[in-house]
Amino acid sequence: LLAGAGKSGVASYHPVLDQQSLRRLQLGTELEQAMADGDISVVFQPIIDARTSDIVSVETLVRWAHPRYGSIAPDEFIHLAEQIGRIGLLTDYVLDLALARCRRWLDQDIALSVAVNLSARCLTEPDLVDRVRRALRRHAVPGELLILELTEGSVVDDSVRSGTVLADLHALGLRLSMDDFGTGYSSLSQLRQLPIDEVKIDKSFVLGMATSQGESFIARSIIELAHNLGLRVVAEGVEDELTRNLLAEMGCDKLQGFLVSRPLPDQRLESWILARTGVRSAVPGTPHRRL
Ligand code: C2E
Ligand code: MG
Ligand code: MG
Ligand code: MG
């Protein structure tokens, strides 16, 4: 943080702390208090069945409403939390909010799955599986209603060890989803060795589909390969009708994006769901109520 020695050889330190580093430092020291104060919260983005348009799950996305900086995007503080060793804490916090929400739906006879993002760093935490198991138990939510979204790098970097962790997570009944697929360096055949249930086509491809044949071709290839391997496919970043129709025609299973809905705070999600007809049970055999 301090750099430079004077030409004389006498250390004359001068700060090189720019605005951005200062902000990072502040956010790092404030993260835990922000969770305690409720400044860090979550929003939920609906994911629908591509054929029926029924809502099948929601993705939990973290938000930080900072008293001075305003709204801070997760892309800025997730990485920071990893670096300062607080990502486990943040993950538990988000998981708790997600499962609490899921529990309240269950109390209304609605079995709606919730997805939570897992940072690469989390897979190296030895107590991860235990923490997830305890969180499910604490909220009395069946594992079948939880989806954990992983990124390619996290499972391929150390595929032997993460394979064990993934198998243990899978044994809790939950589903594993490969997020941002296509941006990393894993292949679908590598995924076959792992207990992955679905892939999410990265939005960079989906956003380009309406205007680029190349992106459409990539999406089509991912869908075909994934289906051949017995994986479900979610497209994220669906913003227009043309893309939605293309994906549906390609056999993509689920859709997520601004066309369907932006990520919504709890209350607004509630009204969004109520405004639609029918929440389909995400757990086979579980009685469900039509809203
Ligand atoms: P992600 O998991 O791939 O989440 C999808 C991101 O795409 C979200 O951004 C979402 O708001 C955005 N998105 C959804 N539909 C559309 C669309 O139609 N068009 C466009 N342009 N964007 C769309 P967000 O909420 O800013 O999150 C960014 C990333 O931060 C996430 O990417 C995820 O990797 C990470 N993240 C978010 N919440 C958490 C969390 O609780 N834990 C961890 N570890 N990471 C999180
Ligand atoms: Mg995600
Ligand atoms: Mg994604
Ligand atoms: Mg992403």
Side-chain angles (χ1 to χ4, degrees):
L1 303 173
L2 298 170
K7 276 180 194 145
S8 62
V10 177
S12 73
Y13 296 104
H14 48 94
V16 289
L17 203 58
D18 55 42
Q19 289 284 24
Q20 216 191 331
S21 320
L22 184 63
R23 174 165 159 147
R24 283 181 61 79
L25 258 184
Q26 284 183 342
L27 294 181
T29 57
E30 291 170 0
L31 186 71
E32 280 190 62
Q33 192 58 45
M35 287 189 256
D37 293 346
D39 288 344
I40 295 183
S41 62
V42 296
V43 285
F44 301 99
Q45 189 175 28
I47 299 175
I48 60 166
D49 183 299
R51 282 183 310 110
T52 65
S53 293
D54 286 338
I55 180 171
V56 286
S57 58
V58 293
E59 179 175 4
T60 313
L61 296 159
V62 72
R63 294 289 181 264
W64 188 343
H66 195 279
R68 282 191 313 285
Y69 297 131
S71 150
I72 306 174
D75 284 327
E76 183 174 352
F77 62 90
I78 292 297
H79 186 56
L80 177 67
E82 288 184 344
Q83 287 180 325
I84 63 173
R86 295 291 183 282
I87 191 64
L89 217 62
L90 186 58
T91 303
D92 289 350
Y93 181 86
V94 170
L95 187 62
D96 205 60
L97 291 174
L99 293 178
R101 192 61 194 94
C102 190
R103 180 66 251 171
R104 280 190 286 137
W105 279 315
L106 281 173
D107 292 339
Q108 299 171 262
D109 288 327
I110 298 165
L112 187 58
S113 299
V114 283
V116 170
N117 290 282
L118 215 54
S119 134
R121 194 61 62 88
C122 291
L123 288 178
T124 65
E125 297 163 344
D127 59 346
L128 175 71
V129 180
D130 242 24
R131 279 156 43 218
V132 173
R133 180 188 294 116
R134 276 184 277 129
L136 286 166
R137 199 174 296 158
R138 192 163 59 247
H139 293 282
V141 168
E144 286 72 16
L145 290 180
L146 178 63
I147 301 163
L148 292 178
E149 298 192 4
L150 320 158
T151 50
E152 291 176 66
S154 62
V155 297
V156 177
D157 280 347
D158 180 6
S159 59
V160 177
R161 186 175 43 179
S162 60
T164 318
V165 176
L166 297 188
D168 290 346
L169 287 171
H170 215 233
L172 299 177
L174 51 82
R175 279 168 288 165
L176 298 172
S177 180
M178 184 58 60
D179 208 350
D180 303 340
F181 190 79
T183 56
Y185 44 88
S186 62
S187 64
L188 281 167
S189 66
Q190 274 173 297
L191 296 190
R192 200 156 70 141
Q193 327 292 329
L194 299 166
I196 303 288
D197 304 282
E198 76 180 16
V199 295
K200 297 185 80 169
I201 309 174
D202 189 69
K203 61 174 177 286
S204 61
F205 304 117
V206 179
L207 289 171
M209 281 179 66
T211 49
S212 155
Q213 293 232 317
E215 314 292 15
S216 284
F217 178 76
I218 292 171
R220 187 185 295 278
S221 308
I222 293 176
I223 293 166
E224 279 177 12
L225 272 162
H227 281 168
N228 286 336
L229 294 170
L231 302 167
R232 303 290 99 208
V233 185
V234 185
E236 63 172 28
V238 182
E239 291 190 354
D240 57 83
E241 287 288 352
L242 177 57
T243 304
R244 180 203 179 118
N245 295 338
L246 282 170
L247 286 161
E249 176 204 299
M250 291 173 187
C252 185
D253 302 284
K254 301 171 200 175
L255 308 173
Q256 173 181 12
F258 296 168
L259 178 71
V260 177
S261 170
R262 293 201 170 245
L264 303 169
D266 194 16
Q267 293 270 301
R268 291 193 41 215
L269 175 70
E270 190 88 34
S271 15
W272 187 90
I273 293 176
L274 280 164
R276 306 189 44 117
T277 50
V279 169
R280 223 4 87 79
S281 167
V283 171
T286 302
H288 65 272
R289 193 175 73 180
R290 283 187 98 67
L291 287 176

